């Protein structure tokens, strides 16, 4: 059986990942895919506990190195228990954030060297990389204004605009370096136009396969 498609969704704060996830899932299902939707950090019992520590610890100081290693610990578990088995069964995996987020947040945001992240990526993932990454792109301030309408900010959301500007820059640089895999969607537009762009990219992927 051919391995399923591995699709990831990325973007800064307020880019609309949660909003567009349902649209992407439905689009893929209508195209005949059996879709497994999951997220990082998370997706397994251990991953969700790690997520809780990383997002909701208020007093705990976590070093950038520990933060990065915890992301990869959760990812190793996620790959072994959810992602690889689903792909091997021919299912399409739709993952809300993956390793591009580690480069953007722990690399760009926290300042860790990309080489360290790449070493972990190679060790934990082997040669598995997403077939497609949709980068929902929105200027930092516009995204933060959208996200600001939500409840209490988590550990990442409490960071300042400079942090998110570095995150944004790394995401765009990665898309520029790998334009075939990582497709930039202008997420600042109204929802129907965002969906239109996403559908066009999915169409290309599914029919170009
Ligand atoms: N993280 C990390 O550091 N390293 C890693 O390796 C990984 C993750 C994997 C959790 O991520 C945190 O983990 C994340 C990075 C870190 N921290 N941050 N920041 P998450 O993905 O769970 O959290 P999130 O970034 O807050 O994602 P989200 O909940 O999906 O939110 P969103 O992208 O901001 O989307 P939204 O909730 O769908 O949209 C925000 C608002 O905008 C909402 O009111 C919508 O109705 C509105 N919206 C959406 N689209 C539109 C359009 N087109 N027009 C107008 N309004 C819109």
């Amino acid at each position: 059986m051919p391995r399923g498609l591995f699709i990831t969704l990325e973007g800064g704060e307020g880019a609309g990942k949660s909003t567009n996830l349902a649209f992407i899932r439905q689009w893929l299902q209508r195209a005949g895919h059996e879709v497994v939707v999951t997220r990082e950090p998370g997706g397994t019992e251990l991953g969700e506990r790690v997520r809780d520590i990383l997002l909701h610890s208020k007093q705990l100081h976590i070093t950038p190195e520990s933060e990065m290693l915890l992301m990869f610990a959760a990812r190793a578990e996620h790959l072994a228990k959810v992602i690889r088995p689903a792909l091997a069964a021919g299912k399409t995996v739709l993952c809300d954030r993956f390793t591009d987020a580690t480069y953007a947040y722990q690399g760009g945001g926290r300042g860790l060297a990309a080489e360290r992240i790449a070493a972990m990526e190679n060790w934990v993932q082997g040669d598995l990389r997403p077939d497609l990454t949709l980068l929902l792109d929105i200027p930092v301030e516009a995204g933060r204004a959208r996200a600001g309408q939500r409840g209490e900010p988590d550990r990442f959301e409490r960071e300042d605009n400079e942090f998110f500007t570095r995150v944004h820059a790394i995401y765009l640089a990665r898309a520029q370096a790998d334009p075939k895999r990582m497709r930039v969607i202008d997420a600042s537009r109204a929802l129907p136009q965002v969906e239109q762009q996403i559908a066009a990219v999915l169409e290309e992927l599914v029919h170009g396969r």
Side-chain angles (χ1 to χ4, degrees), residues 11-13 104-105 108-109 135-141 161-175 182 184:
E13 254 208 299
Y105 284 81
L135 173 60
L136 299 182
D137 183 46
I138 187 167
V140 171
E141 295 204 357
N161 274 3
E162 283 173 22
F163 176 93
F164 286 103
T165 300
R166 294 195 297 277
V167 168
H168 187 232
I170 296 290
Y171 268 137
L172 288 182
R174 290 183 63 73
M182 199 162 178
V184 181

Side-chain angles (χ1 to χ4, degrees), residues 14 16-19 51 75 97 102 105-106 150 189:
K17 288 183 303 87
S18 297
T19 306
R51 180 185 182 89
R75 187 161 297 139
R97 295 197 188 278
T102 315
Y105 284 81
Q106 283 65 54
R150 296 187 296 210
R189 306 188 64 187

Side-chain angles (χ1 to χ4, degrees), residues 70-83:
L70 284 168
M71 290 292 177
F72 274 108
R75 187 161 297 139
E77 189 81 357
H78 197 200
L79 282 162
K81 294 191 174 158
V82 177
I83 298 176

Side-chain angles (χ1 to χ4, degrees), residues 14-43:
K17 288 183 303 87
S18 297
T19 306
N20 286 289
L21 205 65
F23 172 79
I24 299 169
R25 185 215 314 244
Q26 280 165 16
W27 193 100
L28 290 164
Q29 284 170 337
R30 276 201 294 271
H33 294 240
E34 196 176 333
V35 185
V36 172
V37 177
T38 187
R39 68 174 181 181
E40 289 208 351

